[in-house]
Amino acid sequence: MEILDEKIPPRHPRSNPRLVKKTRSKFPSKKPVHRGTGTQRQPLNFSIINTA
């Protein structure tokens, strides 16, 4: 008996349709043009004072 000789029964219909998941955020996704446009870091500026 060969595997190809056997009949495959028809598949049952899907109980859940295939859909794209909905996003969880109300904000649009970040694009490559948005990179590097955030808040710039300020350089540290401090001095040590010896009061002895």
Side-chain angles (χ1 to χ4, degrees):
M1 175 183 270
E2 294 288 326
I3 295 176
L4 296 175
D5 293 337
E6 293 189 28
K7 295 281 186 181
I8 299 174
R11 295 181 72 170
H12 296 287
R14 287 186 174 274
S15 59
N16 292 321
R18 290 185 179 195
L19 298 173
V20 176
K21 290 183 180 180
K22 295 188 179 193
T23 58
R24 296 177 188 247
S25 175
K26 62 181 179 178
F27 299 102
S29 60
K30 186 182 281 190
K31 306 286 190 255
V33 297
H34 298 123
R35 302 229 182 249
T37 59
T39 305
Q40 300 296 320
R41 292 183 182 240
Q42 296 294 323
L44 293 176
N45 187 8
F46 59 92
S47 59
I48 298 174
I49 300 172
N50 189 357
T51 59

